[in-house]
Amino acid sequence: MSLRLFDTATREVRDFVPVVPGQVGIYLCGATVQAPPHIGHVRSVVAFDVLVRWLRRTGHRVTMVRNVTDIDDKILNRSAEAGRPWWAWAMENERAFTAAYDALGVLPPTYEPRATGHVPAMVELMQRLVERGHAYSAGPGDVYFDVRSWPEYGSLTSQRLDDMAPDPSAAEGDKRDPHDFALWKAAKPGEPETASWDTPFGRGRPGWHLECSAMARRYLGDTFDIHGGGLDLRFPHHENEQAQSRAAGYGFAQYWLHNGWVTQSGAKMSKSLGNGLLVSALLETVRPAVLRYALTAVQYRSMLEWTEDTLAESEATWDRLAGFVDRATERVGMVDIAAVELPTGFAAALDDDLNVPAALAVVHEHLRAGNTALAAGDDPAVLAELGAVRAMLDVLGLDPAGEQWGIRTGDDRTGAALDALVRAELDARTAARAAKDWATADAIRDRLTAAGIAVEDSPTGARWSLAARNDSEDI
């Protein structure tokens, strides 16, 4: 079975056929860095990280472009409220997004362009649209796309132009049609001069939609494979991107993928609703791997309803996965997961529009088989199941023994030192138990428990792991 993806533009699951065989170009709408990220912001990045990992695992060379919008109205307004230069405000929040991506094990993009670094490319695209009769100047610094000049406008979201609500900024400037959208915005009185650039049409700054079309073409060419983003970006952002790029004569994206939202009580998570959960705040009490699991486990097109139980369920599942990998690795050693053939059920699930829940069901089948093999002392079966579980989880960015989350990895000096110290305590406890010195043995176990170390006695000896955090202790 080959990879099949739900194309938002055609509203059907299609066989994925790259423009260039063996190579895949992806453009993902990244952060508008007006504020630090909440989990609703990072849902999209984690979902597309799974896509990138799967494409690479199946032999594709992937070019992943994820932009940063570092100039827009909200950035200017919020930086002014904070009394900070807009560019400093944007950079501070960009770093917060990068820290969140890194903490969640998101692979770095091939390129991560900023809007402010690509103004010449935007001006070039804007001039081309004006020359081809699809855009016009409406006064110094204001340039609009003429939606009625492009008959296919609305095709991405299956809307008729006359049925669409007018652009809320229709009163601004001298538009020919209230549905026309801004390619370039004139500098406003009171805005910093550094937030505008000279163009043949007057001084101003880019419209949101123009940025992405220019940057996608710069790094992926006139025609590329996949454009992705959150479901809320379909209209007007992606509709406008497609219209201006194709009106300029470019093939643009051949597939459109959109992920569902993170919701609370059915409402989209957003700052305006006041229900945002900052990633940085969550990571003060939640292990990053647990948060990654919670964001990954739901199929990317589904809404992820965030409740009090979401993280508790993810933590319990992660502990089962990591516990098996730890025990099995201790018994049979490390596995070269790159050489492991993935179970057919897992591969079929991911080829079916990245059906992660079905893929995880296969992971848990092998987890159960691995635990059974451990109990039976069947080392060949343990080795096989360890390889299968780790290889599958690696595709999801969740390998407990990988570089990101790593137990027993090559250069984990902190982990090695901790292991040596805990082992010494466990050896002393074993000696005390052998001498029937139960008071000393219990005291050692109590010290380890107080330090956050869980001890498990087994027929092959005592094992240790970091205990799950009990947040009630902080209340």
Side-chain angles (χ1 to χ4, degrees):
M1 180 178 177
S2 61
L3 177 62
R4 291 171 57 78
L5 297 170
F6 183 85
D7 180 10
T8 310
T10 61
R11 293 161 295 284
E12 64 181 4
V13 177
R14 298 172 53 200
D15 288 339
F16 176 65
V17 181
V19 175
V20 178
Q23 300 182 32
V24 181
I26 302 174
Y27 186 90
L28 175 63
C29 281
T32 297
V33 286
Q34 58 178 334
H38 58 61
I39 54 173
H41 292 130
V42 297
R43 167 90 195 277
S44 181
V45 177
V46 170
F48 281 88
D49 185 60
V50 173
L51 173 61
V52 170
R53 289 171 182 270
W54 182 232
L55 287 168
R56 289 177 176 164
R57 177 74 192 206
T58 52
H60 296 84
R61 180 180 176 182
V62 181
T63 300
M64 174 65 163
V65 181
R66 184 182 69 219
N67 76 297
V68 176
T69 296
D70 58 344
I71 179 71
D72 85 332
D73 290 344
K74 292 179 180 178
I75 291 172
L76 294 177
N77 292 338
R78 294 195 176 194
S79 62
E81 291 170 1
R84 301 277 303 284
W86 66 270
W87 43 265
W89 184 262
M91 177 55 73
E92 178 181 311
N93 288 306
E94 180 183 337
R95 287 175 174 161
F97 271 87
T98 299
Y101 300 154
D102 290 346
L104 294 174
V106 175
L107 297 173
T110 313
Y111 309 109
E112 192 169 22
R114 297 188 186 100
T116 54
H118 295 77
V119 168
M122 297 178 209
V123 173
E124 179 184 342
L125 175 57
M126 181 166 57
Q127 288 179 296
R128 183 178 176 90
L129 288 168
V130 170
E131 291 167 1
R132 293 169 70 95
H134 295 296
Y136 58 92
S137 176
D142 285 318
V143 181
Y144 293 97
F145 183 86
D146 183 352
V147 294
R148 296 195 182 274
S149 74
W150 185 245
E152 295 179 23
Y153 187 76
S155 62
L156 179 63
T157 50
S158 300
Q159 298 184 82
R160 292 178 62 254
L161 181 58
D162 291 334
D163 293 336
M164 298 178 190
D167 186 319
S169 64
E172 298 178 10
D174 187 16
K175 292 185 179 183
R176 295 175 182 173
D177 187 288
H179 298 94
D180 293 349
F181 60 86
L183 299 175
W184 204 256
K185 298 180 177 182
K188 298 184 179 70
E191 290 182 348
E193 187 173 352
T194 55
S196 60
W197 291 261
D198 287 322
T199 78
F201 308 101
R203 191 168 180 85
R205 54 187 168 82
W208 180 29
H209 318 301
L210 186 70
E211 300 174 5
C212 288
S213 285
M215 289 187 284
R217 179 171 179 260
R218 167 65 178 81
Y219 293 95
L220 296 173
D222 293 355
T223 302
F224 58 94
D225 298 295
I226 296 171
H227 195 313
L231 190 62
D232 52 321
L233 299 182
R234 289 175 64 241
F235 187 85
H237 185 46
H238 289 168
E239 187 75 70
N240 292 351
E241 275 190 71
Q242 177 170 275
Q244 66 197 8
S245 293
R246 293 191 173 170
Y250 307 131
F252 206 53
Q254 301 303 290
Y255 296 80
W256 287 89
L257 272 62
H258 292 94
N259 61 276
W261 301 328
V262 177
T263 59
Q264 287 185 308
S265 301
K268 175 177 176 283
M269 185 170 292
S270 68
K271 293 291 184 184
S272 61
L273 292 177
N275 58 358
L277 290 173
L278 291 181
V279 175
S280 58
L282 279 170
L283 292 179
E284 291 178 2
T285 57
V286 178
R287 287 171 289 171
V290 172
L291 183 54
R292 164 92 189 200
Y293 186 93
L295 293 169
T296 302
V298 175
Q299 205 268 353
Y300 77 97
R301 287 196 291 121
S302 300
M303 298 300 178
L304 170 53
E305 177 66 13
W306 199 266
T307 70
E308 293 181 357
D309 297 329
T310 302
L311 288 175
E313 293 170 358
S314 296
E315 183 167 40
T317 303
W318 173 255
D319 285 341
R320 287 196 297 273
L321 295 167
F324 165 70
V325 170
D326 195 4
R327 292 190 298 275
T329 301
E330 183 180 79
R331 186 174 185 103
V332 299
M334 296 296 286
V335 179
D336 179 10
I337 59 174
V340 172
E341 184 175 350
L342 292 167
T344 56
F346 178 86
L350 287 191
D351 276 341
D352 182 19
D353 196 29
L354 301 179
N355 190 342
V356 171
L360 283 171
V362 180
V363 172
H364 286 285
E365 289 175 10
H366 286 267
L367 174 66
R368 288 190 291 272
N371 281 322
T372 299
L374 275 173
D378 185 349
D379 286 358
V382 171
L383 185 63
E385 299 301 344
L386 173 62
V389 169
R390 282 195 54 204
M392 290 186 285
L393 290 175
D394 178 65
V395 173
L396 303 178
L398 288 165
D399 176 17
E403 289 186 12
Q404 181 75 21
W405 318 118
I407 59 170
R408 307 180 192 284
T409 53
D411 187 33
D412 183 10
R413 288 174 289 177
T414 301
L418 178 61
D419 184 66
L421 292 171
V422 175
R423 288 284 168 199
E425 285 281 77
L426 291 178
D427 289 345
R429 177 173 174 267
T430 299
R433 285 162 63 94
K436 300 187 184 306
D437 185 356
W438 309 117
T440 298
D442 290 345
I444 292 172
R445 182 164 190 151
D446 290 344
R447 283 202 302 272
L448 292 173
T449 300
I453 304 295
V455 178
E456 176 186 352
D457 291 312
S458 72
T460 59
R463 299 182 58 263
W464 71 272
S465 62
L466 294 176
R469 181 183 176 90
N470 182 1
D471 292 334
S472 64
E473 294 175 357
D474 295 333
I475 297 175

